[in-house]
Amino acid sequence: MNHRKRLAASLTAAFTLGVGLVATAPQALAAGYETDRAIRTSANPNYEAPGWWFQGAGPTGHGGGVVAFQSNGDKWWVADTQRDGKSVAVRWKNFVNGSLYREGVCINSNSAPSWATCNKNYREDSTIWASTCLYDGDTGTYSECNLLGFRFRVSDGRTV
């Protein structure tokens, strides 16, 4: 009986110690998901300048919105161009040395027609993969995502 009590106490201590180690594991090892609501702006970006990337929503890029990335300042520009009751979003993944570092979404829920922006701060030595989608805020679902997506360098917006 005494042996069972010692075994139970040892297992309890080991379990408690293990849970404590798991609970205090560093959060920096896992990429977090960032959700940003874009801020409406009256400006229309000049995305013909160097350092810009842009893509339309929909499987072929002809959906109800356009997203642009401005590499000088790490700013997403999101345009809702169609009065369809849906928002426009850019879903992005940020990679450093080929590994996922951060990921998230920037959503323009300001109704069409509107431009809105999300300011980010990406590492200059990183790359981004992004895809433009429509977003239904009532159900939390994405649709009409651009099937191609796009991969580019943060530093200058050029393709990788």
Side-chain angles (χ1 to χ4, degrees):
M1 189 75 160
N2 197 10
H3 177 58
R4 286 185 185 169
K5 285 183 181 178
R6 279 186 281 180
L7 180 61
S10 297
L11 290 174
T12 301
F15 178 75
T16 303
L17 182 59
V19 169
L21 290 174
V22 171
T24 60
Q27 296 297 320
L29 297 177
Y33 196 84
E34 303 169 25
T35 301
D36 294 305
R37 296 290 175 176
I39 298 169
R40 188 180 188 120
T41 180
S42 59
N44 184 333
N46 176 16
Y47 46 79
E48 299 298 324
W52 283 91
W53 162 88
F54 64 98
Q55 179 184 74
T60 59
H62 299 289
V66 174
V67 169
F69 179 75
Q70 178 185 356
S71 64
N72 181 7
D74 296 349
K75 184 184 285 189
W76 290 107
W77 293 77
V78 184
D80 190 341
T81 60
Q82 196 169 20
R83 293 182 183 174
D84 55 7
K86 295 185 180 178
S87 301
V88 176
V90 59
R91 298 171 80 180
W92 55 267
K93 293 185 180 213
N94 185 213
F95 296 88
V96 174
N97 298 324
S99 296
L100 182 63
Y101 180 67
R102 294 167 62 187
E103 66 180 318
V105 63
C106 171
I107 303 168
N108 176 356
S109 55
N110 294 291
S111 300
S114 68
W115 278 102
T117 62
C118 292
N119 281 318
K120 303 305 290 179
N121 187 17
Y122 300 114
R123 287 179 43 168
E124 292 301 311
D125 63 342
S126 66
T127 58
I128 294 179
W129 179 89
S131 180
T132 305
C133 302
L134 299 183
Y135 176 74
D136 185 334
D138 293 335
T139 62
T141 58
Y142 298 92
S143 63
E144 296 295 312
C145 293
N146 191 302
L147 297 177
L148 298 176
F150 205 80
R151 190 174 193 92
F152 57 93
R153 294 186 304 215
V154 169
S155 61
D156 58 13
R158 294 185 184 178
T159 59
V160 183

